[in-house]
Amino acid sequence: MDDSDGDSKRSVKRRRVNGITRTESRYSSPDELAASSDHEAHFTRRPSSVTQRELADHRRRSYKESVSDESPDELDHTIHTFYRGAKGKGRSISRDSSSRRMSIALRESRTPELERTYTQYRQKMVLTGHRRGVAAVKFSPDGKCIASCSADATIRIWETASGKHLHTLEGHLAGISTIAWSPDSNTLASGSDDKSIRLWNIHTGKAYPIPLLGHHNYIYALAFSPKGNMLVSGSYDEAVFLWDVRTARVMRSLPAHSDPVGGVDFIRDGTLTVSCAGDGLIRIWDTATGQCLRTLVHEDNAPVTSVRFSPNGKFVLAWTLDSCIRLWNYVEGRCVKTYQGHKNSKFSITGAFGVYGGGGQAFVVSGSEDGALYIWDVSSKDVLQRLEGHQNVVLGVDALSNQELLVSGGLDHTIRIWETVDEADIQPKEEIID
């Protein structure tokens, strides 16, 4: 292993949690929706088995546990439409003979309907500048900018259309694991290993004067409410905080989990929040009261590292360390789809929803530990495409369906933008921007 690889491992987004032993099973059936969270008392807090020295050696978190194999869940109904009036497609090309064979195999496995409507993605450009692994990448809601954060303790803002570097945001004292855009695209929130959350003015590149302080450990996950007046955060301290953005104060502290919180999100109307953690639990919260309305847990109880609501608000998508991504109907407490094919047993990897076929069909896109991006049809669970380009683990992926773009970042220090391509245009295209 060369020095750059060693540096990447020290600077990765997620930390390991080793030596976890579960002597009793978690709840296998969900709570009743709108019921109280009395079951919280049944979960004891697990003392950390990782020393502070070990934690300091990992700038990003990864969880490592023994997990069992799982076959995909089968469904007796189709998924609801995820977007209204949105357009989106997708496409890519392989770079060598082995990837071409993979593409042919994937194409042959698709149904004729999917083959007619899905347009592949290919790599458009590579953005460089971060000195360590890129932990997260996000399109701004207006689609004009891309934000990336890294274990090098910086955030970079890029112009989506050209890849031009606009700002470097500096101020955190340690690696940055998570970022979130405000709905108006004017403010960016960032969470760092220095235990602080900062808000940034995107137009000036300057931080607001008052940071959000309250967590006692590394910040792993952030999400703005749809109105932009609240922020939800998840931390290695196992807590979920709801913040008043205007006053920079904690509105509510949720005793969420018994392991580090890996992901948080708001539903589209802001009435619910969701959190997940290495304890294998996904919790749905009433934003107004802080009440736990539902606890979701799969029978395999694999650590859950990332979570997000579907755009229509009816489902929750969760990434777990058994190389599965599960779609939950959280009202019924059922796992309705399982997406497989990627590799994910160590790092916390994220992804996104997108649309194709003129907006009539939805896909899920995710990073992978084999350095590729995977795209699945939401309904059929077919792998629509495997995108190659990164030279190491892909940690973060986001989709901008109305412009038919994807963005990804990983441990190779690069950000890559992917675009759809016409069937006639089959040649690789790559532009490297520093």
Side-chain angles (χ1 to χ4, degrees):
M1 180 184 297
D2 58 26
D3 292 339
S4 63
D5 287 339
D7 182 58
S8 296
K9 287 198 172 181
R10 285 192 297 273
S11 64
V12 294
K13 172 182 178 186
R14 319 295 184 186
R15 296 172 183 76
R16 275 183 213 171
V17 178
N18 290 320
I20 297 177
T21 303
R22 293 186 174 91
T23 58
E24 58 181 1
S25 61
R26 305 289 186 186
Y27 281 87
S28 59
S29 60
D31 309 285
E32 291 300 321
L33 197 62
S36 66
S37 55
D38 293 338
H39 60 276
E40 288 281 342
H42 293 278
F43 294 93
T44 57
R45 294 169 69 86
R46 181 188 56 79
S48 173
S49 60
V50 184
T51 66
Q52 198 64 29
R53 180 185 297 271
E54 290 172 355
L55 291 175
D57 288 339
H58 295 270
R59 289 298 181 194
R60 300 290 285 168
R61 69 186 177 283
S62 70
Y63 300 105
K64 182 69 175 177
E65 299 188 58
S66 60
V67 293
S68 59
D69 295 332
E70 183 202 17
S71 58
D73 300 273
E74 296 301 330
L75 247 204
D76 57 359
H77 67 279
T78 58
I79 220 69
H80 293 274
T81 301
F82 278 80
Y83 289 82
R84 296 178 181 176
K87 292 184 178 181
K89 302 177 184 177
R91 169 170 194 125
S92 156
I93 37 190
S94 313
R95 295 178 167 238
D96 53 33
S97 60
S98 63
S99 60
R100 280 196 295 272
R101 288 195 296 271
M102 170 77 74
S103 297
I104 293 171
L106 293 178
R107 192 179 306 116
E108 289 175 347
S109 69
R110 298 182 208 138
T111 62
E113 291 78 9
L114 295 181
E115 181 66 24
R116 285 195 297 269
T117 58
Y118 181 75
T119 306
Q120 290 190 337
Y121 284 87
R122 73 169 178 190
Q123 187 168 284
K124 178 182 180 182
M125 64 181 74
V126 182
L127 311 180
T128 62
H130 282 296
R131 300 185 303 277
R132 292 188 178 181
V134 178
V137 287
K138 296 284 185 181
F139 285 110
S140 61
D142 62 12
K144 295 179 180 179
C145 295
I146 295 168
S148 61
C149 67
S150 169
D152 64 11
T154 68
I155 302 162
R156 288 180 172 251
I157 308 298
W158 316 82
E159 186 177 69
T160 301
S162 66
K164 178 183 178 181
H165 175 237
L166 302 177
H167 296 291
T168 297
L169 312 182
E170 297 180 295
H172 281 295
L173 303 178
I176 303 168
S177 296
T178 179
I179 48 178
W181 286 95
S182 63
D184 61 8
S185 300
N186 292 326
T187 302
L188 188 75
S190 59
S192 169
D193 286 3
D194 65 12
K195 308 175 188 178
S196 73
I197 299 168
R198 289 187 174 270
L199 302 177
W200 307 82
N201 184 314
I202 293 305
H203 304 293
T204 65
K206 303 297 183 182
Y208 293 157
I210 304 176
L212 280 61
L213 301 176
H215 280 294
H216 302 296
N217 219 317
Y218 315 109
I219 314 296
Y220 278 167
L222 293 173
F224 270 100
S225 66
K227 292 182 180 179
N229 61 325
M230 290 187 295
L231 188 72
V232 61
S233 62
S235 167
Y236 197 86
D237 62 14
E238 305 172 3
V240 173
F241 285 176
L242 289 171
W243 302 83
D244 184 322
V245 174
R246 183 180 61 84
T247 64
R249 293 183 178 179
V250 176
M251 298 170 54
R252 196 175 300 278
S253 175
L254 307 177
H257 296 276
S258 58
D259 267 319
V261 177
V264 293
D265 196 18
F266 273 101
I267 199 170
R268 64 177 185 175
D269 64 3
T271 58
L272 300 176
T273 56
V274 61
S275 65
C276 68
D279 57 12
L281 304 181
I282 303 165
R283 295 194 187 278
I284 310 295
W285 306 88
D286 185 306
T287 303
T289 66
Q291 184 180 21
C292 180
L293 304 180
R294 176 75 82 190
T295 298
L296 307 173
V297 58
H298 193 266
E299 59 185 4
D300 289 344
N301 200 28
V304 189
T305 59
S306 185
V307 69
R308 65 188 310 164
F309 280 104
S310 65
N312 67 2
K314 296 180 178 180
F315 301 90
V316 165
L317 191 65
W319 281 254
T320 51
L321 291 185
D322 53 0
S323 296
C324 291
I325 303 170
R326 294 182 175 89
L327 188 71
W328 291 84
N329 181 325
Y330 60 88
V331 174
E332 299 178 2
R334 286 195 308 129
C335 176
V336 295
K337 298 284 186 182
T338 299
Y339 308 101
Q340 294 177 302
H342 67 306
K343 297 181 187 298
N344 187 196
S345 61
K346 179 180 178 182
F347 295 92
S348 179
I349 289 172
T350 63
F353 287 102
V355 294
Y356 69 98
Q361 293 169 287
F363 66 75
V364 169
V365 60
S366 174
S368 176
E369 290 170 11
D370 62 7
L373 282 71
Y374 286 77
I375 302 174
W376 296 265
D377 177 79
V378 166
S379 242
S380 70
K381 303 180 291 187
D382 289 340
V383 177
L384 298 173
Q385 194 174 359
R386 181 179 184 271
L387 294 169
E388 295 184 341
H390 285 280
Q391 304 303 310
N392 209 327
V393 177
V394 181
L395 291 173
V397 182
D398 200 13
L400 186 64
S401 291
N402 61 356
Q403 295 186 33
E404 301 177 353
L405 294 174
L406 302 175
V407 64
S408 58
L411 295 187
D412 60 1
H413 306 184
T414 68
I415 299 104
R416 295 171 190 259
I417 300 176
W418 311 80
E419 64 180 354
T420 55
V421 61
D422 295 333
E423 285 296 326
D425 186 3
I426 60 173
Q427 294 302 314
K429 177 183 177 182
E430 178 177 314
E431 180 181 358
I432 298 178
I433 299 178
D434 193 345

